[in-house]
Each structure stands twice: as structure tokens, then as C-alpha cells.
Amino acid sequence: MTDKELEEIGDKIVNVLKTIYDPEIPVDIYELGLIYDVFVSEEMNAKILMTLTSPNCPVAESLPVDVEEKVKTLKEINNCEVEITFDPTWTSEMMSEEAKLELGML
């Protein structure tokens, strides 16, 4: 697998992540800045490092499962693991310009 092919699969994963929304905020989890990193191994396994808006987030249990399930729908991906971290702690500064605009923060 070439770096270019891995990059294309990474882009497909990002496109999937952009279809998943935080239920309390009308912005997808990627634009919110909740996704810290996306890894794809040579074995076509994805690992996603993400955070939540707070440790007490009401979707702390369901959101990572939703991310795993949706990423696994990509035919190129064999498996997906989501790791939740709170280091660094999420802040509104991590949101994209698009998300800030959508939420009236610009």
C-alpha cells in the first residue's frame, strides 16, 4: 500500500467522520475538533484518537461506538478502534472556522 493510497483512505475516513454529529451541537465531530488523529495500518485497520467536549458528555458511551461502526462500513477498512483521550482537553479553540461560523462564534 502506497502512502498516497493510505492518504486517500484517511480522507475517506474523515468524510465518514463528517457525517457524525454531536447531538447537542449542530456541527459534525470533525469540524468540532473532537478528532485528534486518524491512523490506518498496513493491515487496513483504523485507529481514531478523539476526545469529547467534556468527560461528562451524555454520549460518552455511544459516540465512540458510532464512530467505530461507521468507519467499519468503508470497504477498505477491516477494523476500527476508537481511543478517547482528554489530553489535551478540548476547548472551543479546536473548532474549525466553519464550525465557529455555524455556531455564531465569529
Side-chain angles (χ1 to χ4, degrees):
M1 177 99 7
T2 67
D3 286 348
K4 176 94 172 109
E5 289 169 316
L6 285 173
E7 189 177 316
E8 287 172 4
I9 292 167
D11 289 344
K12 284 184 178 183
I13 292 172
V14 167
N15 287 335
V16 168
L17 296 173
K18 287 184 175 190
T19 69
I20 303 169
Y21 287 78
D22 182 306
E24 297 179 333
I25 308 168
V27 176
D28 70 76
I29 62 172
Y30 189 82
E31 297 299 334
L32 269 178
L34 298 182
I35 304 300
Y36 287 170
D37 220 335
V38 174
F39 306 95
V40 180
S41 72
E42 289 289 332
E43 295 80 31
M44 304 315 297
N45 294 318
K47 180 170 183 180
I48 297 171
L49 183 63
M50 68 176 288
T51 194
L52 301 168
T53 51
S54 83
N56 302 323
C57 181
V59 293
E61 298 295 317
S62 61
L63 191 60
V65 174
D66 196 25
V67 169
E68 280 181 12
E69 294 303 317
K70 287 195 173 161
V71 170
K72 284 196 281 191
T73 64
L74 290 170
K75 67 181 187 314
E76 297 90 346
I77 297 298
N78 294 320
N79 200 8
C80 180
E81 175 191 347
V82 173
E83 182 180 330
I84 300 291
T85 183
F86 291 101
D87 183 26
T89 303
W90 180 87
T91 69
S92 60
E93 294 303 308
M94 296 173 171
M95 295 190 315
S96 69
E97 296 294 309
E98 180 181 316
K100 290 176 183 175
L101 190 62
E102 180 77 28
L103 297 173
M105 296 171 73
L106 284 180

